[in-house]
Structures are given as structure tokens and as C-alpha cells.
mmCIF file of all heavy atoms in Angstrom:
data_model
loop_
_atom_site.group_PDB
_atom_site.id
_atom_site.type_symbol
_atom_site.label_atom_id
_atom_site.label_comp_id
_atom_site.label_asym_id
_atom_site.label_seq_id
_atom_site.Cartn_x
_atom_site.Cartn_y
_atom_site.Cartn_z
ATOM 1 N N GLN D 644 0.820 -1.240 -0.036
ATOM 2 C CA GLN D 644 0.004 0.021 -0.036
ATOM 3 C C GLN D 644 0.862 1.257 0.017
ATOM 4 O O GLN D 644 0.348 2.363 -0.022
ATOM 5 C CB GLN D 644 -0.971 -0.011 1.258
ATOM 6 C CG GLN D 644 -2.066 -1.025 1.258
ATOM 7 C CD GLN D 644 -1.502 -2.424 1.694
ATOM 8 O OE1 GLN D 644 -0.492 -2.477 2.436
ATOM 9 N NE2 GLN D 644 -2.098 -3.466 1.327
ATOM 10 N N GLY D 645 2.169 1.096 0.120
ATOM 11 C CA GLY D 645 2.944 2.299 0.199
ATOM 12 C C GLY D 645 3.354 2.852 -1.086
ATOM 13 O O GLY D 645 2.980 2.426 -2.198
ATOM 14 N N GLN D 646 4.074 4.037 -1.073
ATOM 15 C CA GLN D 646 4.453 4.757 -2.217
ATOM 16 C C GLN D 646 5.903 4.903 -2.403
ATOM 17 O O GLN D 646 6.389 5.783 -3.236
ATOM 18 C CB GLN D 646 3.678 6.191 -2.198
ATOM 19 C CG GLN D 646 2.196 6.139 -2.139
ATOM 20 C CD GLN D 646 1.581 7.518 -2.148
ATOM 21 O OE1 GLN D 646 1.930 8.267 -3.028
ATOM 22 N NE2 GLN D 646 0.597 7.763 -1.336
ATOM 23 N N GLY D 647 6.640 4.071 -1.761
ATOM 24 C CA GLY D 647 8.162 4.161 -1.847
ATOM 25 C C GLY D 647 8.863 3.025 -1.089
ATOM 26 O O GLY D 647 8.161 2.190 -0.485
ATOM 27 N N ILE D 648 10.136 3.160 -1.022
ATOM 28 C CA ILE D 648 10.964 2.130 -0.395
ATOM 29 C C ILE D 648 11.343 2.683 1.096
ATOM 30 O O ILE D 648 11.832 3.831 1.183
ATOM 31 C CB ILE D 648 12.269 1.838 -1.199
ATOM 32 C CG1 ILE D 648 11.735 1.220 -2.566
ATOM 33 C CG2 ILE D 648 13.158 0.844 -0.479
ATOM 34 C CD1 ILE D 648 12.959 1.012 -3.435
ATOM 35 N N MET D 649 11.245 1.969 2.084
ATOM 36 C CA MET D 649 11.539 2.378 3.378
ATOM 37 C C MET D 649 12.960 2.585 3.598
ATOM 38 O O MET D 649 13.842 1.832 3.179
ATOM 39 C CB MET D 649 11.023 1.373 4.512
ATOM 40 C CG MET D 649 9.463 1.083 4.407
ATOM 41 S SD MET D 649 8.988 -0.083 5.666
ATOM 42 C CE MET D 649 7.268 -0.278 5.251
ATOM 43 N N THR D 650 13.317 3.673 4.363
ATOM 44 C CA THR D 650 14.786 3.999 4.641
ATOM 45 C C THR D 650 15.243 3.396 6.011
ATOM 46 O O THR D 650 16.341 3.452 6.297
ATOM 47 C CB THR D 650 14.950 5.589 4.645
ATOM 48 O OG1 THR D 650 14.172 6.077 5.743
ATOM 49 C CG2 THR D 650 14.468 6.104 3.287
ATOM 50 N N GLY D 651 14.273 2.868 6.852
ATOM 51 C CA GLY D 651 14.572 2.289 8.057
ATOM 52 C C GLY D 651 14.382 3.297 9.217
ATOM 53 O O GLY D 651 14.661 2.905 10.416
ATOM 54 N N LYS D 652 13.737 4.474 8.911
ATOM 55 C CA LYS D 652 13.548 5.486 9.998
ATOM 56 C C LYS D 652 12.040 5.682 10.170
ATOM 57 O O LYS D 652 11.247 5.590 9.274
ATOM 58 C CB LYS D 652 14.125 6.764 9.634
ATOM 59 C CG LYS D 652 15.682 6.745 9.464
ATOM 60 C CD LYS D 652 16.239 8.180 9.146
ATOM 61 C CE LYS D 652 17.690 8.147 8.980
ATOM 62 N NZ LYS D 652 18.206 9.496 8.724
ATOM 63 N N CYS D 653 11.667 5.867 11.512
ATOM 64 C CA CYS D 653 10.352 6.268 11.806
ATOM 65 C C CYS D 653 10.310 7.768 12.193
ATOM 66 O O CYS D 653 10.908 8.216 13.041
ATOM 67 C CB CYS D 653 9.852 5.446 13.084
ATOM 68 S SG CYS D 653 8.144 5.699 13.528
ATOM 69 N N VAL D 654 9.516 8.589 11.300
ATOM 70 C CA VAL D 654 9.568 9.874 11.482
ATOM 71 C C VAL D 654 8.110 10.459 11.714
ATOM 72 O O VAL D 654 7.170 9.769 11.615
ATOM 73 C CB VAL D 654 10.121 10.569 10.208
ATOM 74 C CG1 VAL D 654 11.549 10.164 10.050
ATOM 75 C CG2 VAL D 654 9.348 10.249 8.935
ATOM 76 N N ASP D 655 8.009 11.762 11.973
ATOM 77 C CA ASP D 655 6.705 12.330 12.244
ATOM 78 C C ASP D 655 5.937 12.659 10.960
ATOM 79 O O ASP D 655 6.529 13.239 10.027
ATOM 80 C CB ASP D 655 6.868 13.677 13.010
ATOM 81 C CG ASP D 655 7.331 13.438 14.440
ATOM 82 O OD1 ASP D 655 7.128 12.441 14.953
ATOM 83 O OD2 ASP D 655 8.070 14.382 14.931
ATOM 84 N N PHE D 656 4.747 12.172 10.805
ATOM 85 C CA PHE D 656 3.898 12.511 9.693
ATOM 86 C C PHE D 656 3.211 13.841 9.986
ATOM 87 O O PHE D 656 3.079 14.691 9.091
ATOM 88 C CB PHE D 656 2.945 11.387 9.458
ATOM 89 C CG PHE D 656 2.012 11.650 8.305
ATOM 90 C CD1 PHE D 656 2.400 11.452 6.911
ATOM 91 C CD2 PHE D 656 0.690 12.139 8.534
ATOM 92 C CE1 PHE D 656 1.451 11.679 5.943
ATOM 93 C CE2 PHE D 656 -0.187 12.416 7.445
ATOM 94 C CZ PHE D 656 0.245 12.169 6.164
ATOM 95 N N ASN D 657 2.740 13.942 11.179
ATOM 96 C CA ASN D 657 2.226 15.241 11.669
ATOM 97 C C ASN D 657 2.436 15.247 13.172
ATOM 98 O O ASN D 657 3.230 14.512 13.730
ATOM 99 C CB ASN D 657 0.699 15.374 11.352
ATOM 100 C CG ASN D 657 -0.208 14.109 11.786
ATOM 101 O OD1 ASN D 657 0.085 13.579 12.851
ATOM 102 N ND2 ASN D 657 -1.154 13.858 10.991
ATOM 103 N N ASN D 658 1.787 16.191 13.950
ATOM 104 C CA ASN D 658 1.982 16.241 15.335
ATOM 105 C C ASN D 658 1.515 15.053 16.222
ATOM 106 O O ASN D 658 1.876 14.915 17.320
ATOM 107 C CB ASN D 658 1.276 17.555 15.880
ATOM 108 C CG ASN D 658 1.893 18.741 15.267
ATOM 109 O OD1 ASN D 658 3.146 18.780 14.878
ATOM 110 N ND2 ASN D 658 1.069 19.799 15.215
ATOM 111 N N ASN D 659 0.657 14.309 15.498
ATOM 112 C CA ASN D 659 0.091 13.176 16.288
ATOM 113 C C ASN D 659 0.455 11.775 15.829
ATOM 114 O O ASN D 659 0.281 10.810 16.540
ATOM 115 C CB ASN D 659 -1.498 13.232 16.317
ATOM 116 C CG ASN D 659 -1.974 14.575 16.834
ATOM 117 O OD1 ASN D 659 -1.548 15.025 17.965
ATOM 118 N ND2 ASN D 659 -2.991 15.157 16.231
ATOM 119 N N VAL D 660 0.927 11.688 14.587
ATOM 120 C CA VAL D 660 1.129 10.292 13.994
ATOM 121 C C VAL D 660 2.544 10.239 13.396
ATOM 122 O O VAL D 660 3.110 11.215 12.919
ATOM 123 C CB VAL D 660 0.177 10.037 12.868
ATOM 124 C CG1 VAL D 660 0.473 8.743 12.186
ATOM 125 C CG2 VAL D 660 -1.297 10.145 13.294
ATOM 126 N N THR D 661 3.225 9.144 13.639
ATOM 127 C CA THR D 661 4.526 8.869 13.158
ATOM 128 C C THR D 661 4.442 7.780 12.122
ATOM 129 O O THR D 661 3.652 6.732 12.296
ATOM 130 C CB THR D 661 5.502 8.476 14.190
ATOM 131 O OG1 THR D 661 5.066 7.312 14.916
ATOM 132 C CG2 THR D 661 5.839 9.590 15.154
ATOM 133 N N THR D 662 5.132 7.797 10.931
ATOM 134 C CA THR D 662 5.119 6.812 9.979
ATOM 135 C C THR D 662 6.446 6.569 9.417
ATOM 136 O O THR D 662 7.514 7.290 9.744
ATOM 137 C CB THR D 662 4.240 7.255 8.756
ATOM 138 O OG1 THR D 662 4.875 8.452 8.132
ATOM 139 C CG2 THR D 662 2.904 7.547 9.170
ATOM 140 N N CYS D 663 6.710 5.572 8.695
ATOM 141 C CA CYS D 663 8.007 5.173 8.076
ATOM 142 C C CYS D 663 8.443 6.174 7.035
ATOM 143 O O CYS D 663 7.604 6.523 6.264
ATOM 144 C CB CYS D 663 7.931 3.773 7.524
ATOM 145 S SG CYS D 663 7.785 2.423 8.787
ATOM 146 N N GLU D 664 9.668 6.468 7.133
ATOM 147 C CA GLU D 664 10.234 7.401 6.002
ATOM 148 C C GLU D 664 10.455 6.487 4.782
ATOM 149 O O GLU D 664 10.945 5.391 4.889
ATOM 150 C CB GLU D 664 11.517 8.040 6.533
ATOM 151 C CG GLU D 664 12.103 8.921 5.531
ATOM 152 C CD GLU D 664 13.341 9.554 6.055
ATOM 153 O OE1 GLU D 664 14.406 8.824 6.156
ATOM 154 O OE2 GLU D 664 13.459 10.780 6.339
ATOM 155 N N ILE D 665 10.201 6.992 3.560
ATOM 156 C CA ILE D 665 10.354 6.350 2.363
ATOM 157 C C ILE D 665 11.108 7.185 1.399
ATOM 158 O O ILE D 665 11.313 8.381 1.533
ATOM 159 C CB ILE D 665 9.021 5.994 1.714
ATOM 160 C CG1 ILE D 665 8.239 7.316 1.352
ATOM 161 C CG2 ILE D 665 8.180 5.124 2.606
ATOM 162 C CD1 ILE D 665 7.067 7.123 0.458
ATOM 163 N N PHE D 666 11.720 6.502 0.395
ATOM 164 C CA PHE D 666 12.341 7.130 -0.743
ATOM 165 C C PHE D 666 11.438 6.930 -1.939
ATOM 166 O O PHE D 666 11.179 5.750 -2.378
ATOM 167 C CB PHE D 666 13.749 6.695 -1.001
ATOM 168 C CG PHE D 666 14.312 7.306 -2.248
ATOM 169 C CD1 PHE D 666 14.876 8.538 -2.226
ATOM 170 C CD2 PHE D 666 14.319 6.653 -3.449
ATOM 171 C CE1 PHE D 666 15.437 9.170 -3.306
ATOM 172 C CE2 PHE D 666 14.912 7.149 -4.612
ATOM 173 C CZ PHE D 666 15.455 8.436 -4.535
ATOM 174 N N GLY D 667 10.918 7.988 -2.550
ATOM 175 C CA GLY D 667 10.017 7.895 -3.719
ATOM 176 C C GLY D 667 9.585 9.298 -4.232
ATOM 177 O O GLY D 667 10.331 10.246 -4.040
ATOM 178 N N TRP D 668 8.428 9.275 -4.889
ATOM 179 C CA TRP D 668 7.917 10.620 -5.339
ATOM 180 C C TRP D 668 7.325 11.323 -4.189
ATOM 181 O O TRP D 668 6.300 10.839 -3.608
ATOM 182 C CB TRP D 668 6.980 10.375 -6.476
ATOM 183 C CG TRP D 668 7.584 10.001 -7.814
ATOM 184 C CD1 TRP D 668 7.660 8.672 -8.281
ATOM 185 C CD2 TRP D 668 8.261 10.867 -8.733
ATOM 186 N NE1 TRP D 668 8.293 8.755 -9.450
ATOM 187 C CE2 TRP D 668 8.673 9.964 -9.746
ATOM 188 C CE3 TRP D 668 8.607 12.212 -8.730
ATOM 189 C CZ2 TRP D 668 9.363 10.482 -10.865
ATOM 190 C CZ3 TRP D 668 9.267 12.666 -9.861
ATOM 191 C CH2 TRP D 668 9.645 11.879 -10.930
ATOM 192 N N CYS D 669 7.963 12.447 -3.764
ATOM 193 C CA CYS D 669 7.509 13.128 -2.622
ATOM 194 C C CYS D 669 7.107 14.552 -3.087
ATOM 195 O O CYS D 669 7.743 15.228 -3.949
ATOM 196 C CB CYS D 669 8.572 13.297 -1.611
ATOM 197 S SG CYS D 669 9.120 11.661 -0.899
ATOM 198 N N PRO D 670 6.093 15.238 -2.316
ATOM 199 C CA PRO D 670 5.300 14.589 -1.260
ATOM 200 C C PRO D 670 4.405 13.450 -1.674
ATOM 201 O O PRO D 670 3.953 13.594 -2.926
ATOM 202 C CB PRO D 670 4.538 15.765 -0.694
ATOM 203 C CG PRO D 670 4.331 16.749 -1.912
ATOM 204 C CD PRO D 670 5.734 16.526 -2.665
ATOM 205 N N VAL D 671 3.902 12.589 -0.902
ATOM 206 C CA VAL D 671 3.132 11.412 -1.292
ATOM 207 C C VAL D 671 1.750 11.994 -1.640
ATOM 208 O O VAL D 671 1.334 12.999 -1.102
ATOM 209 C CB VAL D 671 3.110 10.411 -0.303
ATOM 210 C CG1 VAL D 671 4.463 9.750 -0.095
ATOM 211 C CG2 VAL D 671 2.639 10.887 1.082
ATOM 212 N N GLU D 672 1.009 11.271 -2.545
ATOM 213 C CA GLU D 672 -0.307 11.525 -2.830
ATOM 214 C C GLU D 672 -1.301 11.258 -1.673
ATOM 215 O O GLU D 672 -1.230 10.145 -1.122
ATOM 216 C CB GLU D 672 -0.770 10.769 -4.064
ATOM 217 C CG GLU D 672 -2.204 10.976 -4.495
ATOM 218 C CD GLU D 672 -2.658 10.013 -5.499
ATOM 219 O OE1 GLU D 672 -2.509 8.738 -5.234
ATOM 220 O OE2 GLU D 672 -3.182 10.409 -6.562
ATOM 221 N N GLU D 673 -2.108 12.177 -1.333
ATOM 222 C CA GLU D 673 -3.188 11.914 -0.394
ATOM 223 C C GLU D 673 -4.591 11.964 -1.036
ATOM 224 O O GLU D 673 -5.043 13.083 -1.561
ATOM 225 C CB GLU D 673 -3.243 13.017 0.727
ATOM 226 C CG GLU D 673 -1.864 13.035 1.585
ATOM 227 C CD GLU D 673 -1.871 14.082 2.681
ATOM 228 O OE1 GLU D 673 -2.880 14.121 3.370
ATOM 229 O OE2 GLU D 673 -0.986 14.797 2.836
ATOM 230 N N ASP D 674 -5.199 10.811 -1.256
ATOM 231 C CA ASP D 674 -6.376 10.667 -2.003
ATOM 232 C C ASP D 674 -7.606 10.423 -1.267
ATOM 233 O O ASP D 674 -8.604 9.953 -1.818
ATOM 234 C CB ASP D 674 -6.142 9.730 -3.168
ATOM 235 C CG ASP D 674 -5.898 8.268 -2.628
ATOM 236 O OD1 ASP D 674 -5.746 8.085 -1.337
ATOM 237 O OD2 ASP D 674 -5.850 7.320 -3.394
ATOM 238 N N ASP D 675 -7.575 10.583 0.012
ATOM 239 C CA ASP D 675 -8.808 10.282 0.828
ATOM 240 C C ASP D 675 -9.730 11.418 0.767
ATOM 241 O O ASP D 675 -10.908 11.291 1.247
ATOM 242 C CB ASP D 675 -8.366 9.958 2.344
ATOM 243 C CG ASP D 675 -7.506 11.126 2.916
ATOM 244 O OD1 ASP D 675 -7.003 12.003 2.138
ATOM 245 O OD2 ASP D 675 -7.436 11.101 4.139
ATOM 246 N N GLN D 676 -9.413 12.533 0.424
ATOM 247 C CA GLN D 676 -10.356 13.707 0.211
ATOM 248 C C GLN D 676 -10.698 13.939 -1.215
ATOM 249 O O GLN D 676 -9.927 14.590 -1.960
ATOM 250 C CB GLN D 676 -9.761 14.969 0.853
ATOM 251 C CG GLN D 676 -9.289 14.819 2.343
ATOM 252 C CD GLN D 676 -10.675 14.637 3.186
ATOM 253 O OE1 GLN D 676 -11.787 15.181 2.911
ATOM 254 N NE2 GLN D 676 -10.486 13.849 4.176
ATOM 255 N N ILE D 677 -11.860 13.470 -1.644
ATOM 256 C CA ILE D 677 -12.253 13.559 -2.988
ATOM 257 C C ILE D 677 -13.051 14.824 -3.147
ATOM 258 O O ILE D 677 -14.007 15.152 -2.322
ATOM 259 C CB ILE D 677 -13.154 12.388 -3.449
ATOM 260 C CG1 ILE D 677 -12.413 11.086 -3.250
ATOM 261 C CG2 ILE D 677 -13.741 12.559 -4.898
ATOM 262 C CD1 ILE D 677 -13.252 9.801 -3.573
ATOM 263 N N PRO D 678 -12.738 15.773 -4.111
ATOM 264 C CA PRO D 678 -13.549 16.960 -4.264
ATOM 265 C C PRO D 678 -15.001 16.729 -4.408
ATOM 266 O O PRO D 678 -15.424 15.939 -5.193
ATOM 267 C CB PRO D 678 -12.937 17.544 -5.555
ATOM 268 C CG PRO D 678 -11.517 16.946 -5.646
ATOM 269 C CD PRO D 678 -11.728 15.536 -5.114
ATOM 270 N N ASP D 679 -15.744 17.518 -3.582
ATOM 271 C CA ASP D 679 -17.246 17.379 -3.654
ATOM 272 C C ASP D 679 -17.796 18.818 -3.586
ATOM 273 O O ASP D 679 -17.502 19.511 -2.536
ATOM 274 C CB ASP D 679 -17.748 16.535 -2.559
ATOM 275 C CG ASP D 679 -19.251 16.124 -2.714
ATOM 276 O OD1 ASP D 679 -19.801 16.536 -3.666
ATOM 277 O OD2 ASP D 679 -19.717 15.557 -1.699
ATOM 278 N N PRO D 680 -18.522 19.310 -4.562
ATOM 279 C CA PRO D 680 -19.139 18.697 -5.734
ATOM 280 C C PRO D 680 -18.041 18.296 -6.762
ATOM 281 O O PRO D 680 -16.950 18.847 -6.708
ATOM 282 C CB PRO D 680 -20.101 19.679 -6.276
ATOM 283 C CG PRO D 680 -19.487 20.978 -5.895
ATOM 284 C CD PRO D 680 -18.909 20.746 -4.527
ATOM 285 N N PRO D 681 -18.359 17.364 -7.672
ATOM 286 C CA PRO D 681 -17.426 16.959 -8.731
ATOM 287 C C PRO D 681 -17.031 18.170 -9.524
ATOM 288 O O PRO D 681 -17.723 19.171 -9.720
ATOM 289 C CB PRO D 681 -18.229 15.943 -9.639
ATOM 290 C CG PRO D 681 -19.228 15.466 -8.671
ATOM 291 C CD PRO D 681 -19.613 16.556 -7.689
ATOM 292 N N MET D 682 -15.822 18.116 -10.081
ATOM 293 C CA MET D 682 -15.187 19.254 -10.777
ATOM 294 C C MET D 682 -15.917 19.491 -12.148
ATOM 295 O O MET D 682 -15.932 20.594 -12.703
ATOM 296 C CB MET D 682 -13.710 19.126 -10.966
ATOM 297 C CG MET D 682 -12.984 19.042 -9.605
ATOM 298 S SD MET D 682 -11.167 18.898 -9.871
ATOM 299 C CE MET D 682 -10.740 20.431 -10.586
ATOM 300 N N LEU D 683 -16.392 18.443 -12.758
ATOM 301 C CA LEU D 683 -16.972 18.591 -14.119
ATOM 302 C C LEU D 683 -18.500 17.980 -14.030
ATOM 303 O O LEU D 683 -18.780 17.093 -14.828
ATOM 304 C CB LEU D 683 -16.100 17.895 -15.126
ATOM 305 C CG LEU D 683 -16.401 18.261 -16.620
ATOM 306 C CD1 LEU D 683 -16.188 19.799 -16.840
ATOM 307 C CD2 LEU D 683 -15.457 17.465 -17.473
#
């Protein structure tokens, strides 16, 4: 489910959550917020 290869470090994603650091296309895509109403 990830978007890159792990570097072996656990870093801060935000003030409340820590996630694994990756090497890939950054910043990663956040697709949980779908525009509503639809754009077209």
C-alpha cells in the first residue's frame, strides 16, 4: 500500500502520528479527500 521504499527510519507524519520514512515521489499523494461537488 506504500508509495516508496523504506529507509529504516520512523519519522513524524504530523503532530500526532509517526510513519515510516520512504524514498520515492514526494510529497506522497493523499487521495482520501475527493473533491465534492465533482469538478465537471
Side-chain angles (χ1 to χ4, degrees):
Q644 293 80 25
Q646 301 187 44
I648 299 175
M649 297 181 186
T650 63
K652 296 180 180 180
C653 184
V654 297
D655 293 333
F656 179 79
N657 54 36
N658 294 331
N659 300 319
V660 179
T661 57
T662 60
C663 293
E664 184 183 66
I665 63 165
F666 176 79
W668 287 101
C669 299
V671 295
E672 177 193 55
E673 298 184 47
D674 60 353
D675 55 342
Q676 299 295 324
I677 301 175
D679 190 6
M682 297 182 64
L683 197 56

